[in-house]
Amino acid sequence: MYRIILFLLLVALAASGAAWLADQPGEVLFPWAGGLAHVTLLEFATAFGTAVVAAMFGWTILRALWRLPEKIRRANRERRHARGRHAITQGLLAIGHGDSSAARAHAEVARRHAAGDPLTLLLHAQSAQLDGNRGAAREAFQAMATREDTRLLGLRGLFIEAQRADDVGAAVAIAEEALKTSPSSTWASQAVLGFRCARGDWMGALAILENNLSSGLIDKETYRRQRGVLLTARALELETTDRDSARDVVMEAVKLAPTLVPAAVLSAKFQSEAHQIRRAMRLVETAWLAQPHPDLADAYAHVKLGDSARQRLVRIETLAAKMPGHLESALAVARAAIDATEFAKARAALAPHLEAPTQRVAMLMAEIERTEHGDSGRARAWTLRAVRALHDPVWTADGYVSATWRPVSPVSGRLDAFQWQTPVASLPSDKAAAIEPSPFEEAMLAPRREPVARLESGAAIESAAAPEVIPIEPVAAEPAPVAAQDNAPPAEIATEPVPAPMPAPQPSPDAPVAAPLFRARQDIPKVTPQNIPAVIPILRAPDDPGVDDEGGRDEFAEQIGPPASQAGGWRGFLSRWGS
């Protein structure tokens, strides 16, 4: 809008100026061809304006012609750059969907048209990585590292290639160089921190942690937690060499991370040695409320040196009351009760977890059976059940299972990665159990039967807790057929008949019957065999020489030496047959 107003103002000014010149009298004289030229003021102004406009127009044409080659070169350069950018875009898309041949072709086009573009080097490096050409990828990343604008990206690529080649020294050097170039680089700080923790350089790791805090990579809460983890690792390292320094370090660690289990256990141990019993118990209770752990229970039980097993049991029951119903509480009470020979309390603590026991629950039940009753059968059954039982929580990080706590994950190098949890491999699934309970297990783990109490009159009275017993009438045993022998005596040999066994006396219906030791199975019907062949009783085995009718021999008169062995096989059979 303001441009239109300005244009109208200029037109009005030009018209006013022309009207003013037309109203002015007089002439303009200037020499021309040896004489004087007379023109009016309006004609002179018109001619002068025309000359200025023509000069400006001519200068514009000359300047355009002068700049025409530069414009042509710039247009060609922009066209090539556009083609290169298009090739880079298509090449990165090809890398994204895994087309290595198309990525390589686009990389060549990008090199021809946009060789100076940093994305061209990135495209070459990633296409080489996709093809598996590590040498070409390393060269591309080295070229990127020499440029100021792509230095950090090139160092990142070289770091990844060093990791793939398992060159730990080169990876550490590259990460430290990247951290010097950019202190706020997240990947470089994490890599250097992980490498220093892996070497046990806890002071160097603490320096990196301070740099992360000052660079704004982590917040204050994360800094306190990670510093507590590093101080705990240093205290565990100094525990056997410099206990005074370890005590100071771990006390600082437990202030920064009061719920860290290793820090609470170690600090409680040092406080217990210094006879600071209440303070040690408070440290363990704080960590227990956040995460119950068997090491915390053990430290709480032995917080006061010299206590008896029953005193430790009372203390553990106090700790378990703070987390009622938790598995670790039940396991801690059961362990202390077994040590105090309070087996009833141990069974009561483990009873809610016997339907789906974990391995530690099953092993504690096996120990109870072995210690309380000396029942090796039931103990073995519980041990077998522990093989198929659920896994207990362990220290895990990135799928790696460790028997002890570690400050850094060995898989990813992440600090404070280990958590006390059930490993992924033992989580429940929709598949059925691979191993079914064995009959031995079911028989051994069946409830115990109460002993039968007998009165003086001979009547058997069972305990009220015992199940009802159904008396089973005795069944006469059927004679089993005897396999024919090749050395049996001829059938014509007369033998004395064997008297039939006396029938068993039938019990009186009014008299109580004692519970049988073994019950007859009801699921297998008894089938009486038909056509039982006649059985010839053998008075003496065919190969039994019998008792010598001669008088007894003097054992001292016999010849001392190895007895003559009897021939076996067909030769022995023929020798016996002939005799």
Side-chain angles (χ1 to χ4, degrees), residues 197-517:
C197 292
R199 290 199 304 262
D201 184 9
W202 308 117
M203 299 306 297
L206 288 171
I208 297 297
L209 196 63
E210 296 291 341
N211 176 64
N212 292 345
L213 179 63
S214 60
S215 301
L217 298 179
I218 55 177
D219 55 5
K220 190 67 176 180
E221 188 65 26
T222 305
Y223 165 77
R224 291 174 60 87
R225 174 73 180 188
Q226 293 184 355
R227 182 175 175 81
V229 170
L230 293 177
L231 290 176
T232 302
R234 178 168 173 77
L236 291 174
E237 184 182 24
L238 296 175
E239 183 182 4
T240 56
T241 58
D242 190 354
R243 295 182 66 84
D244 294 335
S245 299
R247 183 184 300 107
D248 297 337
V249 171
V250 78
M251 292 309 299
E252 182 183 355
V254 81
K255 290 178 182 178
L256 295 173
T259 59
L260 186 61
V261 173
V265 171
L266 187 57
S267 60
K269 179 180 178 181
F270 285 132
Q271 293 298 318
S272 175
E273 293 176 355
H275 302 289
Q276 300 290 333
I277 306 301
R278 293 185 179 274
R279 188 174 182 182
M281 294 175 66
R282 285 197 300 268
L283 292 174
V284 175
E285 289 171 358
T286 302
W288 178 268
L289 292 175
Q291 176 63 69
H293 192 275
D295 292 346
L296 293 172
D298 185 69
Y300 200 81
H302 297 87
V303 70
K304 189 175 182 181
L305 303 179
D307 280 355
S308 64
R310 295 184 182 274
Q311 290 174 332
R312 293 197 299 269
L313 174 59
V314 173
R315 190 180 301 119
I316 286 297
E317 288 177 341
T318 303
L319 181 65
K322 298 181 181 299
M323 291 292 289
H326 199 278
L327 176 61
E328 293 296 338
S329 299
L331 291 172
V333 172
R335 177 73 268 170
I338 293 174
D339 294 340
T341 65
E342 295 284 348
F343 300 106
K345 288 186 178 180
R347 291 180 183 274
L350 297 178
H353 306 281
L354 294 182
E355 291 296 330
T358 63
Q359 292 179 349
R360 291 166 59 198
V361 171
M363 293 305 296
L364 284 178
M365 287 299 300
E367 186 175 353
I368 292 172
E369 297 292 347
R370 186 182 299 106
T371 308
E372 182 182 10
H373 302 292
D375 193 344
S376 60
R378 295 178 70 89
R380 192 183 309 113
W382 276 111
T383 305
L384 292 176
R385 191 171 182 181
V387 176
R388 293 185 294 271
L390 300 175
H391 286 270
D392 291 279
V394 290
W395 290 113
T396 60
D398 301 324
Y400 179 85
V401 177
S402 176
T404 57
W405 174 83
R406 294 187 181 184
V408 182
S409 169
V411 179
S412 61
R414 184 163 50 94
L415 185 63
D416 192 23
F418 276 91
Q419 302 294 329
W420 182 256
Q421 59 186 5
T422 304
V424 179
S426 62
L427 293 179
S429 63
D430 54 352
K431 297 182 180 179
I435 305 177
E436 298 293 336
S438 62
F440 167 77
E441 222 176 299
E442 296 177 352
M444 287 294 101
L445 297 181
R448 283 190 177 85
R449 295 179 54 190
E450 296 293 335
V452 179
R454 297 182 178 275
L455 299 179
E456 294 180 358
S457 60
I461 302 177
E462 296 188 5
S463 174
E468 182 182 359
V469 179
I470 302 176
I472 302 176
E473 297 182 0
V475 181
E478 297 291 339
V482 180
Q485 302 181 7
D486 57 349
N487 56 352
E492 341 18 281
I493 300 178
T495 58
E496 296 182 4
V498 179
M502 295 295 294
Q506 297 294 332
S508 174
D510 298 333
V513 181
L517 183 60

Side-chain angles (χ1 to χ4, degrees), residues 525-536:
K526 185 173 180 60
V527 180
T528 304
Q530 302 295 331
N531 302 326
I532 302 177
V535 179
I536 301 175

